[in-house]
């Protein structure tokens, strides 16, 4: 039924208390624990109980001041994943770090450290940092140009891979008898000199258990998808509205991967979905309406304006969306831009309607229904070749994870479509990805 | 007896398997766990059992290629402390990050994250990164000049403090009823524009539980001590050879702290010591000799050369130390330089003798004896006003921590000189330090 493949599942968490913008007002959401380990530990434990492949921690380097009073925008930083490494056993740990405002030597060490301490469960979600208000925290008036960011990211990732390769995997000897700790011939400087970075190497941490930590990225732009096809193991996407479109996107990305001489089977495409799930469809719909009613009327248009890169406050909320920029001119997140502009046309939404849709889902496909119904929808995408799995964006924490694990996971497990136990290897092995061949660095 | 003060104790660990360079060859050392969480967790747990004030993780950004085959130089990175936050309850967590090769916005977020997740136990050991071979991993031919590094560090720390102050401590409201998550009037951009950094702020993480994470530094240079007196809560020092000298150093530093208008009682001076301890003096001496015999004969002179900033391989090992640079011209660690050059003169050591002393202790005061004897020595320094506590550099892991907790801690506890229980507050409260007043950042 699944051609021997299984559906991958990511447990997306961020410190916004849920993927629905009004989640923090919902009575069962543990809002007061927004900065506490207890909440993240609970999310991690429920996710591991549900045999999710990984936890995914998003990050952004500034908040939007406009709506900060009404929408939680707190982001704990990537080190959070190390804290979860010691309270979990099998689940992968995806942390986000920007290539634009860090240095590859530091980032290579951070992920090598998490990979060692977690026994091979580290993954890096590579971002280039989209917004001007983030750049302002690093001395820039406005963000670097989109294509420049990706050029830099490309070299950055090359350097980190060289650093992880700078120790051969059998370099450590521990020969107490003769006093030889390691074989120094198996450790190599990298002597990298590129356009943006000059790094001698080697790193001062042994090769990570996975060889390289898993590389993840999320981008819908041409440059971003080229970058993903060249470097990444997993691509997060924003699901288009139909399976047919999803399939077209899926196939076009897999072709890009093949064009880089890589096996497309070892590249996983995972759209984000927002599930509102309960015992019955009726209960799920009621819950969804309860969430939508918690959205303050004044919210949404500001958020929407940023994502469509156009100030919508100058129009009446009952107007239709004005003519927008061409997607190539957008310097922010191109994926959401595209989805939102297309959706507005298709459904003939007014600004208010689109804003309401947007704040509830942040532009992601959402599914409201019973466990059976949500499982059907996910299975349909998976079995029709439109996704290798999904990045589940829970509407609220930790209850949204509980709902999914109680109602959806057992159905998918019964259908033999997701794992019922962890295979017991490291993350790379569990995902069925190849061990990376080490580059020859001797000069 | 202790004038109401208690001796502070830091548990120094690094991924070198012990502070003695040959520690990894000792049969009881858990050498094979050098990159494993299990070892660090065990060290953390024994340290917490002994009621140490904090764990201290050193870091350096490169290894020395010369001796790498024979001496472990693996360094896991600062995120390790987040991994230990979730398996400990009360102990402080000091992690090292360099101001020279990171950005203040990132560092402020990293320590704010660890502080939140650990319930107020984070501390930052501020280093400026001393060596050329570290600089080469960040594109520099040689390290920035010593005084330039401290000028930059000064501005760096000012920026991080402003970022931690950018949220007032009662900004979060969680008013579900009215949909008001926080009071936006209590969050302030910092608009920092200095010589090295331009940072708009605010940070996107609430004020850390401790206000500011504890600031730690280790420096023996003039610039470094000025920096410490201005910014730090704790200074690690290298103990001179006598209590009298220790007292003189202690008093001179406390005067500097007063000169900055700060209360010297709220500034803690903690020399590093290496204890070889066992049930009896005889057993301790035997153990020490066993360790010294594990040092390979060819080691030591290279290590020593780096710390005295002079290539000693050109002399006979039986020669005495040649004329060295003036301490002001040394661009590396001035503290160890001073100690070693003074010691060589005082004791009339040959190069070989000094090297052997150095590789065993890395320039730190070491004490060999029974629990009672080690406790006597520490008490003498403490009660005579030469130290507020000690940074204990265990000779091997995890057994060296076990030895200290079994033999020394009970004696000090019985004398009422160290704590027998954690007070239950955050690290700042437990150390008796003041909550930092928030800067007014409104513009």
């Amino acid at each position: 039924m699944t051609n021997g493949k299984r559906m991958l599942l990511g447990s997306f968490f961020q410190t916004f208390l849920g993927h629905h913008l009004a989640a923090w007002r919902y009575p069962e959401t543990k809002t007061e624990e927004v900065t506490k380990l207890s909440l993240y530990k609970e999310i991690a434990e429920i996710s591991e109980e549900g045999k999710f492949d990984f936890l995914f921690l998003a990050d952004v380097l500034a908040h939007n001041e406009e709506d900060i009073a009404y929408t939680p925008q707190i982001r704990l930083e990537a080190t959070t994943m190390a804290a979860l490494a010691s309270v979990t056993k099998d689940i992968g740990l995806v942390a986000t770090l920007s290539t634009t405002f860090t240095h590859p030597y530091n980032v290579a060490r951070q992920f090598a450290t998490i990979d060692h301490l977690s026994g091979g469960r580290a993954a890096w979600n590579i971002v280039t940092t989209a917004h001007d208000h983030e750049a302002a925290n690093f001395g820039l008036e406005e963000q670097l140009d989109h294509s420049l960011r990706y050029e830099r990211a490309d070299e950055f990732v090359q350097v980190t891979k060289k650093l992880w390769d700078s120790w051969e995997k059998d370099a450590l000897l521990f020969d107490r008898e003769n006093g030889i700790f390691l074989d120094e011939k198996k450790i190599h400087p990298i002597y990298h000199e590129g356009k943006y970075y000059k790094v001698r190497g080697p790193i001062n941490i042994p090769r990570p258990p996975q060889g390289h930590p898993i590389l993840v990225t999320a981008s819908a732009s041409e440059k971003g998808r080229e970058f993903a096809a060249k470097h990444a193991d997993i691509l997060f996407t924003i699901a288009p509205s139909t399976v047919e479109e999803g399939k077209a996107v899926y196939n076009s990305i897999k072709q890009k991967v093949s064009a880089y001489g890589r096996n497309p089977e070892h590249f996983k495409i995972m759209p984000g979905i927002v599930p509102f799930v309960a015992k019955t469809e009726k209960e799920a719909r009621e819950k969804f309406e309860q969430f939508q009613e918690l959205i303050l009327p004044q919210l949404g248009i500001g958020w929407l304006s940023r994502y469509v890169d156009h100030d919508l406050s100058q129009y009446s909320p009952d107007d239709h969306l004005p003519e927008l920029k061409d997607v190539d001119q957008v310097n922010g997140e191109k994926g959401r831009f595209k989805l939102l502009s297309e959706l507005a046309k298709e459904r003939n939404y007014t600004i208010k309607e689109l804003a309401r849709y947007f704040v509830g889902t942040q532009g992601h496909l959402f599914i409201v229904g019973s466990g059976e119904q949500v499982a059907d929808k996910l299975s349909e995408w998976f079995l029709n070749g439109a996704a290798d799995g999904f990045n589940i964006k829970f509407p609220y924490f930790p209850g949204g994870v509980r709902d999914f694990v109680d109602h959806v996971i057992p159905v998918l497990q019964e259908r033999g479509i997701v794992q019922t136990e962890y295979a017991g290897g490291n993350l790379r092995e569990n995902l069925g990805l190849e061990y990376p061949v080490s580059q020859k660095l001797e000069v």
Side-chain angles (χ1 to χ4, degrees), chain A:
Chain A
M1 179 184 177
T2 65
N3 300 322
K5 291 201 325 187
R6 66 177 179 87
M7 181 193 291
L8 305 180
L9 291 176
S11 171
F12 181 91
F13 82 99
Q14 57 185 12
T15 31
F16 283 15
L17 296 161
H19 199 72
H20 191 281
L21 273 194
W24 73 274
R25 299 183 68 192
Y26 188 66
E28 288 171 33
T29 302
K30 296 197 171 172
T31 300
E32 288 73 12
E33 293 181 33
V34 63
T35 58
K36 301 267 189 294
L37 180 62
S38 52
L39 176 60
Y40 306 112
K41 198 176 156 199
E42 195 174 351
I43 294 168
E45 285 167 349
I46 303 170
S47 301
E48 201 160 43
E49 180 193 330
K51 313 301 173 198
F52 274 81
D53 288 282
F54 51 79
L55 290 162
F56 171 57
L57 177 64
D59 196 17
V60 156
L61 297 168
H63 55 234
N64 293 308
E65 282 172 3
E66 194 177 327
D67 300 327
I68 189 165
Y70 315 106
T71 55
Q73 296 183 57
I74 294 167
R75 301 271 194 180
L76 296 186
E77 193 267 349
T79 42
T80 305
M81 275 308 176
L84 295 178
S86 44
V87 294
T88 53
K89 205 176 144 277
D90 294 292
I91 199 164
L93 305 161
V94 186
T96 300
L97 273 177
S98 168
T99 52
T100 304
F101 300 117
T102 58
H103 190 281
Y105 195 81
N106 293 329
V107 170
R109 293 187 73 229
Q110 284 166 308
F111 283 99
T113 296
I114 301 178
D115 208 42
H116 280 292
L117 294 178
S118 65
R121 295 187 282 137
W124 172 23
N125 177 41
I126 306 165
V127 297
T128 66
T129 307
H131 300 290
D132 291 349
H133 62 286
E134 299 176 80
N137 289 325
F138 295 86
L140 299 179
E141 295 297 325
E142 54 182 44
Q143 184 48 280
L144 300 178
D145 180 70
H146 185 267
S147 70
L148 191 67
R149 294 205 309 272
Y150 274 101
E151 185 182 282
R152 194 181 163 111
D154 179 61
E155 188 183 333
F156 192 115
V157 173
Q158 285 178 40
V159 176
T160 55
K161 286 180 178 175
K162 286 183 189 175
L163 287 167
W164 292 324
D165 285 345
S166 67
W167 286 57
E168 295 182 36
K169 70 176 170 180
D170 53 355
L172 289 165
L173 297 175
F174 304 135
D175 177 357
R176 282 175 159 94
E177 184 66 27
N178 298 300
I180 303 170
F181 184 72
L182 54 77
D183 182 351
E184 59 188 321
K185 290 190 304 297
K186 295 195 169 169
I187 302 178
H188 313 283
I190 70 167
Y191 298 117
H192 176 88
E193 289 199 36
K195 183 166 171 190
Y196 298 100
Y197 303 103
K198 184 175 171 195
V199 180
R200 184 188 184 280
I203 201 171
N204 55 353
I205 300 179
R207 186 167 176 84
Q210 296 183 94
H212 303 166
I214 299 299
L215 300 181
V216 176
T217 193
S219 181
S221 71
E222 263 314 297
K223 290 265 177 204
R225 294 231 163 126
E226 284 297 327
F227 174 83
K230 185 173 172 191
H231 290 295
D233 301 300
I234 297 174
L235 176 70
F236 293 148
T237 60
I238 293 185
S241 33
T242 68
V243 178
E244 277 315 303
E245 285 172 85
K247 219 169 132 176
V249 170
Y250 180 95
N251 289 330
S252 106
I253 297 168
K254 292 263 172 160
Q255 275 167 18
K256 277 193 212 296
V257 174
S258 300
Y260 276 99
R262 301 177 61 198
N263 181 346
E265 291 288 311
H266 295 152
F267 181 94
K268 307 296 181 183
I269 297 173
M270 300 177 70
I273 67 114
V274 184
F276 279 86
V277 61
K279 245 189 210 142
T280 62
E281 181 181 347
K282 185 165 168 285
E283 278 176 51
R285 295 219 165 271
E286 280 165 6
K287 189 178 247 187
F288 178 66
E289 283 313 317
Q290 211 181 335
F291 272 83
Q292 289 293 86
E293 272 162 35
L294 290 172
I295 299 172
L296 291 182
Q298 71 265 40
L299 286 184
I301 291 177
W303 279 82
L304 184 61
S305 296
R306 277 192 297 279
Y307 281 98
V308 298
D309 209 358
H310 191 113
D311 177 14
L312 301 175
S313 64
Q314 56 189 308
Y315 309 100
S316 153
D318 296 316
D319 284 351
H320 285 84
L321 209 62
E323 191 69 22
L324 298 177
K325 285 183 188 168
D326 191 80
V327 62
D328 296 331
Q329 293 170 312
V330 173
N331 199 20
E333 287 184 34
K334 295 184 199 275
R336 285 208 178 93
F337 174 88
K338 234 169 122 183
L339 182 104
L340 290 167
S341 57
E342 285 169 12
L343 208 67
K345 269 184 205 152
E346 263 173 39
R347 303 196 184 172
N348 198 29
Y349 273 157
T350 62
I351 290 174
K352 197 174 69 187
E353 285 167 340
L354 187 65
R356 199 168 174 85
Y357 169 85
F358 180 68
V359 291
T361 65
Q362 290 173 59
H364 281 281
L365 192 67
F366 69 101
I367 311 174
V368 184
S370 66
E372 197 81 28
Q373 288 171 316
V374 173
D376 284 347
K377 189 84 175 172
L378 299 183
S379 304
E380 186 194 352
W381 277 67
F382 178 70
L383 297 174
N384 282 294
D388 294 310
F390 299 91
N391 199 19
I392 310 295
K393 310 198 141 192
F394 306 101
Y396 69 108
F397 289 122
V401 194
R402 187 81 264 166
D403 293 340
F404 195 90
V405 169
D406 286 350
H407 301 300
V408 185
I409 294 286
V411 180
L412 292 170
Q413 286 180 336
E414 204 162 291
R415 295 180 187 177
I417 215 166
V418 297
Q419 64 189 356
T420 53
E421 276 309 327
Y422 290 104
N426 65 34
L427 179 61
R428 181 175 290 280
E429 290 159 355
N430 290 353
L431 293 173
L433 301 173
E434 279 180 326
Y435 188 82
V437 178
S438 188
Q439 300 166 72
K440 286 191 182 32
L441 293 162
E442 299 82 349
V443 282

